[in-house]
Amino acid sequence: MSNQHQWPAWEVFTQKTDGEAHEHAGNVHAPDAEMALLNARDVYGRRQEAVNIWVVPSSAITASTPDDVGPFFDPANDKMYRWPNYFKTPDGIKQI
Amino acid sequence: MNQQIIQEDDIRREEEFNARIAAGKTIEPKDWMPERYRRQLLRMMSQHAHSEVVGMLPEGNWLTRAPSLMRKAVLLAKIQDEAGHGLYIYSGAETLGTDRSEMIDQLLSGKAKYSSIFNYPTLNWADMGAIGWLVDGAAIVNQTVLAKCSYGPYARAMVRICKEENFHNKQGYQIMAVLMRGTKAQQEMAQDAMNRWWWPSLMMFGPPDKDSPNSGDLMRWKVKLQSNDDLRQRFIDRTVPQAEAIGLRIPDDKLKWNPQTRHYEFGEINWEEFNNVIRGNGPCNKLRLKQRRDAHAEGNWVREAAAAYAAKHARA
Amino acid sequence: MNTNDALYTYCVRLADTAVILSQRFCEWCGHGPILEEDIAMSNMGLDLIGQARGFYAYAAALENKGRSEDDIAFHRNEREFTNRCMVEQPNYDFAYTMVRSFLHGAAAYLQYRELTKSGDETVSGLAAKSLKEMTYHVRHSSEWLIRLGDGTDESKVRVQNAVDDLWQFTDELFEMDEVDQMLIRNGIACDLTQLRQEWDQMVDEVFSKAGITKPAPGGFQSKGGMKGMHSEHLGHLLSEMQFLQRAYPDAKW
């Protein structure tokens, strides 16, 4: 019962159908990239959930932290002009 | 001085945390959480994952003897799902900062628990029906509620699992239904399985509310959303008519419908048996641990070889 | 023997080989070296059960005596089973399992590839589905052979032992008889002897990457699985697999 042979974790992203974006599905443990791909196929593709798979070492992911929430995302909330419905269309115009 | 600031900081954070839970927000891995919350979740999630993995064994016992190719395929797919479910939950539990291999070590050393139901033997083919129908049925009642729990990775794993698990329940019920329409020997097989699995299935919901030590905290943190007794009652209410529909007798003389409460009343559960099995004194506790330990030990050279290969071929 | 009888026999042989190997994969379920590999081996087992069901069902239709896929799978004795002897060999360890999966898988891959061109539409359809599955089995097992062969001292010894022990069942993967000959003439089956060279290339490539030594020619080669001549292991496998059907002959499941 030793830990030294624990394989590293890989994050799995699956593309459900052609043309869609890859979405995070979960993770697998694997010794290397090729085996991670095979494992991901067997674990997250059992029910035809994928037409393409990415695997990324979990350790390669850099994430923002909950403490970043304010400085990262709040500054976007006073820039309503990024949304088209911010702008009033003059009466009588049906489409612009 | 410093110590005091840290303590005050923790108190403030815990208040914020409680407020978020009360507001129905989801807790994510990197969010601050009280140490007890983290520990309790880790305990629950790793037990749940262990249960999925150990749960493969009693059904695996009949895989090579499945009576038709269709049944063999369905059973294999189902047990494979359980491996997948174990994996999803381990993966969720790892976000709490404990590696899967560490959790597995705790299982193999006997320190971590798993659902006591898997410490009962599978003695005839109908047990495959009883497990799918009753054990998975009880698990679904539990897991449907857990899919709304406050910890994001656990809730998301449950959503995925519930989606996959419905067929487990249905295939089990179908096995029973076919047996009950079959020969006398098959009907006896089904009733025998029913008699052995009914009470342990009811125990799956855990001790009665009055004796459930961790329930208070877990309910307050919305890790648990309904009490053991409520979930048990829900399971009984939905399962009894299913049994009657195919002619199976529930092995409980005290079972009766109460038209006032619109619930079934049922007999006394043997909690002494439950506690014994939990403590390691069930029919298959030793066997299940041995099977897991053997698989792990025999797999060691394989894991080691692949790791060695990866190390040799890693790009510098 | 007419073409119909020959095709019946041919389909049963393919199905027998698939079902016996699936049974061996089933034995791993819950006991794999790591959870991910448990799931992988179950997938391969499921593919093989699917292949077996497809070919048994077609055989039953050709025979037209009202028998089902299960009647054929569960109600014949070991001398009536016609699988390749390679697949009935016990799992022993993960190296054996992967070597067996590779050696048989590569041959099955080539055979199914040729059968996609079969003049019989059902055969070509079943072959097309099976071909995709075997492509994956070969990829999975090759990757493992390479890792075990180039892993640790222990894994190197284990994988080489498995190759040495299983090698005696390799010629048989290409054995043919009058059933094959008749179906080849009718454009339904393929000539396995013509696939041997390509199989050897596949094996050589993986063995060389894995550092596995190919056993020298001239050693004992067992034959005759297709005629019901098996190793001692098959009878035990069948007595387990067929137990319920035999114990309750009048039951439906």
Side-chain angles (χ1 to χ4, degrees):
Chain A
M1 282 183 261
S2 58
N3 290 334
Q4 69 261 33
H5 308 310
Q6 164 77 8
W7 297 337
W10 301 71
E11 297 305 317
V12 178
F13 298 83
T14 52
Q15 185 185 31
K16 288 202 177 67
T17 52
D18 178 62
E20 278 190 47
H22 285 67
E23 276 179 25
H24 187 235
N27 78 16
V28 290
H29 287 263
D32 54 58
E34 168 70 10
M35 294 310 285
L37 203 54
L38 300 192
N39 290 347
R41 177 261 191 198
D42 285 320
V43 174
Y44 294 102
R46 299 200 300 285
R47 287 179 169 77
Q48 300 179 302
E49 298 102 329
V51 295
N52 190 277
I53 297 177
W54 293 342
V55 289
V56 182
S58 303
S59 59
I61 291 189
T62 309
S64 66
T65 69
D67 291 339
D68 293 331
V69 168
F72 263 50
F73 307 114
D74 287 354
N77 67 12
D78 69 342
K79 300 180 179 64
M80 297 311 291
Y81 43 79
R82 289 189 194 274
W83 277 267
N85 55 8
Y86 172 79
F87 301 94
K88 293 254 181 325
T89 312
D91 289 347
I93 304 277
K94 284 205 179 89
Q95 256 185 342
I96 183 163
Chain B
M1 182 65 193
N2 247 345
Q3 194 64 32
Q4 197 188 343
I5 290 170
I6 289 167
Q7 274 176 10
E8 279 171 9
D9 202 39
D10 274 0
I11 290 165
R12 179 185 56 77
R13 280 172 175 264
E14 182 147 359
E15 277 166 5
E16 279 172 17
F17 174 87
N18 289 336
R20 291 191 64 193
I21 297 260
K25 296 257 196 222
T26 306
I27 306 301
E28 292 297 337
K30 292 187 173 176
D31 293 350
W32 186 91
M33 60 188 85
E35 184 52 25
R36 280 171 304 129
Y37 177 85
R38 199 188 64 77
R39 268 207 317 271
Q40 285 284 10
L41 262 172
L42 186 61
R43 183 186 61 86
M44 264 183 83
M45 291 178 78
S46 61
Q47 276 183 18
H48 195 163
H50 298 331
S51 303
E52 297 281 353
V53 174
V54 176
M56 297 168 72
L57 297 168
E59 287 175 291
N61 183 39
W62 279 89
L63 193 45
T64 52
R65 290 178 289 174
S68 74
L69 294 176
M70 186 274 277
R71 293 282 175 216
K72 192 189 290 292
V74 170
L75 187 60
L76 180 54
K78 174 187 190 293
I79 304 175
Q80 182 196 41
D81 273 350
E82 276 148 23
H85 297 172
L87 199 145
Y88 304 157
I89 306 170
Y90 280 129
S91 161
E94 281 183 310
T95 63
L96 292 162
T98 302
D99 213 58
R100 193 210 292 181
S101 62
E102 228 173 290
M103 292 183 247
I104 289 175
D105 281 353
Q106 284 170 357
L107 169 70
L108 300 183
S109 70
K111 204 177 139 203
K113 302 275 185 244
Y114 54 86
S115 181
S116 59
I117 192 87
F118 302 119
N119 291 317
Y120 292 88
T122 51
L123 302 177
N124 72 39
W125 168 252
D127 287 16
M128 299 304 99
I131 290 182
W133 172 42
L134 299 175
V135 176
D136 288 79
I140 288 169
V141 167
N142 259 329
Q143 289 170 168
T144 311
V145 180
L146 278 171
K148 296 177 208 125
C149 81
S150 63
Y151 190 57
Y154 199 14
R156 288 190 289 272
M158 287 305 117
V159 170
R160 193 183 193 101
I161 289 171
C162 286
K163 231 187 270 172
E164 296 186 355
E165 204 145 76
N166 269 331
F167 106 76
H168 297 185
N169 186 233
K170 284 198 176 151
Q171 64 89 34
Y173 188 58
Q174 195 203 32
I175 288 176
M176 291 306 238
V178 167
L179 291 174
M180 290 306 287
R181 282 200 305 268
T183 63
K184 188 159 176 291
Q186 284 177 301
Q187 290 168 5
E188 283 167 5
M189 206 183 269
Q191 187 62 55
D192 172 45
M194 179 80 195
N195 295 349
R196 284 180 289 110
W197 291 94
W198 174 253
W199 290 104
S201 298
L202 298 188
M203 296 176 196
M204 281 177 71
F205 297 94
D209 295 344
K210 59 182 171 56
D211 305 324
S212 182
N214 298 317
S215 280
D217 274 351
L218 294 176
M219 300 268 287
R220 191 163 50 82
W221 287 326
K222 294 192 182 165
V223 172
K224 244 172 119 159
L225 293 126
Q226 290 191 32
S227 77
N228 295 353
D229 287 336
D230 287 350
L231 292 172
R232 189 169 11 248
Q233 186 67 55
R234 186 192 295 181
F235 172 73
I236 292 170
D237 289 347
R238 68 179 231 175
T239 308
V240 172
Q242 293 169 355
E244 286 169 351
I246 54 175
L248 277 167
R249 195 180 55 77
I250 306 264
D252 179 357
D253 297 339
K254 300 217 172 80
L255 187 88
K256 71 166 196 281
W257 175 249
N258 181 331
Q260 264 87 53
T261 60
R262 305 196 59 75
H263 289 299
Y264 282 94
E265 291 168 3
F266 54 98
E268 185 67 22
I269 294 172
N270 183 349
W271 293 112
E272 195 185 326
E273 174 184 322
F274 174 76
N275 289 324
N276 270 328
V277 180
I278 291 265
R279 274 197 297 269
N281 298 317
C284 296
N285 294 62
K286 296 230 163 32
L287 173 65
R288 298 291 179 243
L289 263 192
K290 179 175 164 34
Q291 289 170 318
R292 285 312 315 157
R293 281 180 189 146
D294 288 351
H296 192 74
E298 280 158 29
N300 195 52
W301 71 269
V302 178
R303 297 190 299 277
E304 188 181 20
Y309 175 88
K312 273 188 239 177
H313 295 267
R315 269 170 294 175
Chain C
M1 180 177 67
N2 60 31
T3 311
N4 196 68
D5 296 340
L7 188 51
Y8 167 84
T9 303
Y10 192 78
C11 289
V12 169
R13 287 173 180 174
L14 287 170
D16 282 351
T17 296
V19 82
I20 298 301
L21 186 54
S22 84
Q23 186 78 356
R24 289 297 185 210
F25 275 119
C26 284
E27 291 170 13
W28 270 106
C29 186
H31 306 278
I34 192 165
L35 217 37
E36 280 84 350
E37 210 49 46
D38 233 305
I39 295 172
M41 287 194 279
S42 295
N43 261 348
M44 294 190 284
L46 285 170
D47 290 343
L48 291 161
I49 298 175
Q51 292 172 18
R53 293 184 69 190
F55 283 106
Y56 279 138
Y58 188 37
L62 288 165
E63 184 190 50
N64 199 21
K65 284 185 190 160
R67 290 205 298 171
S68 68
E69 56 181 46
D70 291 328
D71 292 331
I72 303 178
F74 293 91
H75 291 280
R76 283 175 305 139
N77 297 328
E78 56 263 54
R79 291 288 275 114
E80 296 160 297
F81 254 74
T82 56
N83 59 285
R84 303 295 193 193
C85 293
M86 167 89 72
V87 297
E88 74 205 35
Q89 299 311 305
N91 292 333
Y92 292 122
D93 69 5
F94 188 70
Y96 264 85
T97 305
M98 286 299 110
V99 170
R100 189 185 57 203
S101 179
F102 173 69
L103 295 174
H104 160 263
Y109 161 81
L110 294 170
Q111 186 174 4
Y112 284 131
R113 190 189 66 193
E114 295 309 306
L115 289 180
T116 57
K117 297 172 232 160
S118 170
D120 184 285
E121 272 181 25
T122 308
V123 169
S124 67
L126 289 169
K129 176 181 165 287
S130 309
L131 177 64
K132 287 183 200 160
E133 293 164 348
M134 297 322 292
T135 305
Y136 187 77
H137 296 204
V138 172
R139 178 167 172 182
H140 174 267
S141 53
S142 324
E143 293 295 347
W144 269 113
L145 257 57
I146 293 166
R147 278 157 187 75
L148 298 181
D150 190 14
T152 59
D153 291 344
E154 180 179 7
S155 69
K156 199 174 174 58
V157 169
R158 282 181 185 259
V159 78
Q160 184 67 55
N161 283 345
V163 168
D164 293 347
D165 287 359
L166 287 167
W167 199 254
Q168 74 171 77
F169 304 104
T170 50
D171 278 5
E172 197 210 4
L173 296 171
F174 302 92
E175 192 183 358
M176 296 197 297
D177 67 0
E178 65 283 0
V179 169
D180 297 81
Q181 299 302 349
M182 174 182 264
L183 295 176
I184 291 170
R185 281 197 301 277
N186 293 337
I188 294 173
C190 59
D191 186 350
L192 297 177
T193 53
Q194 291 188 1
L195 301 174
R196 179 68 195 246
Q197 200 188 352
E198 205 180 333
W199 181 84
D200 272 308
Q201 284 165 3
M202 289 170 79
V203 170
D204 289 343
E205 195 189 322
V206 171
F207 279 15
S208 114
K209 280 189 196 158
I212 295 170
T213 309
K214 197 175 181 178
F220 175 77
Q221 285 290 330
S222 77
K223 296 227 159 153
M226 67 204 306
K227 299 281 189 201
M229 287 295 290
H230 292 279
S231 58
E232 291 177 347
H233 306 295
L234 184 68
H236 295 282
L237 183 151
L238 290 180
S239 63
E240 187 171 329
M241 181 175 108
Q242 298 177 335
F243 154 66
L244 280 170
Q245 287 266 354
R246 301 297 188 114
Y248 303 92
D250 51 346
K252 296 243 180 321
W253 306 92

